[in-house]
Amino acid sequence: MMYLKSEEIEVLRDCPATTIPYGSPVTIEKGCVAVITQNLGSSVTVMVQGNLYRVEGQDVDALGLEVQEEERHIPEGPVTQEFIEKTAWEVMKTCFDPEIPVDIVNLGLVYGCDVIPLGDETFRVEVRMTLTAPGCGMGTIIAEEARSKILNIHGVEEVVVDLVWDPPWSREMMSESARLQLGML
């Protein structure tokens, strides 16, 4: 079933969620009325009784949405460092801040992505990223989402996502398309 943004829906079963912006785990109870405010990437943001919550992809059936399996990224030829890096940047563009409808790459939150060979067609990926605000409780959750998605790239054996605060994030770090989308141009 597909819902329009801002349409009220009834939660179909008890649903694990995370409070936004605090990052605390909660359960949205069956029968609650929710409004989907964002359905991007592999999670959904809902508002229930004036509070925002993030529902992970494996639990969106509680909202009447279809659960999507995470895509496994397999190259057509040999696994190369270039393939891993290109694909890592692509999958990070499917990670979204739950309050802002822009991915973490275009928000300018990802400062670097290094691919280190471990052996024959196996690699370690090291990502440096920040948050829009240092106190954001969603930081570890967003970082874990990026780590998990990068691990779905064939040939990636290890992923480390470090949250860094230098340089501090500013709006100027957003891509032009992100600023345009958010009405900042």
Side-chain angles (χ1 to χ4, degrees):
M1 195 176 282
M2 186 58 136
Y3 294 105
L4 300 174
K5 193 172 174 181
S6 301
E7 181 179 346
E8 289 187 351
I9 58 169
E10 183 176 326
V11 178
L12 302 174
R13 64 171 172 81
D14 285 357
C15 178
T18 305
T19 59
I20 300 170
Y22 308 109
S24 306
V26 296
T27 299
I28 301 172
E29 293 182 4
K30 176 181 178 179
C32 284
V33 174
V35 175
I36 296 174
T37 62
Q38 183 168 290
N39 185 0
L40 299 167
S42 58
S43 65
V44 174
T45 302
V46 295
M47 182 175 289
V48 177
Q49 298 176 342
N51 298 303
L52 286 178
Y53 302 96
R54 175 180 163 128
V55 176
E56 297 302 328
Q58 70 268 15
D59 292 308
V60 298
D61 62 308
L63 307 173
L65 301 173
E66 188 176 326
V67 174
Q68 302 292 320
E69 288 206 27
E70 282 294 325
E71 183 179 352
R72 181 91 172 125
H73 302 275
I74 302 171
E76 292 181 11
V79 179
T80 64
Q81 196 166 348
E82 293 77 22
F83 165 79
I84 299 292
E85 183 175 358
K86 178 180 180 265
T87 308
W89 283 101
E90 287 173 8
V91 300
M92 287 188 286
K93 286 182 179 178
T94 68
C95 300
F96 289 82
D97 181 299
E99 296 178 280
I100 306 170
V102 177
D103 66 82
I104 63 174
V105 172
N106 282 297
L107 269 176
L109 299 179
V110 180
Y111 289 166
C113 177
D114 299 316
V115 178
I116 299 137
L118 294 176
D120 191 34
E121 295 191 4
T122 60
F123 299 87
R124 172 185 171 98
V125 178
E126 296 177 353
V127 174
R128 290 172 317 288
M129 67 174 285
T130 195
L131 303 172
T132 56
C136 177
M138 296 302 293
T140 56
I141 293 162
I142 295 168
E144 176 54 31
E145 179 182 7
R147 189 187 82 72
S148 174
K149 287 183 174 188
I150 293 168
L151 274 172
N152 276 327
I153 302 170
H154 183 74
V156 174
E157 295 291 323
E158 300 173 18
V159 179
V160 175
V161 178
D162 288 321
L163 287 174
V164 298
W165 309 109
D166 190 36
W169 180 85
S170 67
R171 293 178 177 193
E172 292 74 35
M173 295 174 166
M174 289 191 290
S175 70
E176 187 175 318
S177 66
R179 288 193 304 265
L180 181 62
Q181 182 177 350
L182 296 175
M184 297 177 165
L185 278 182

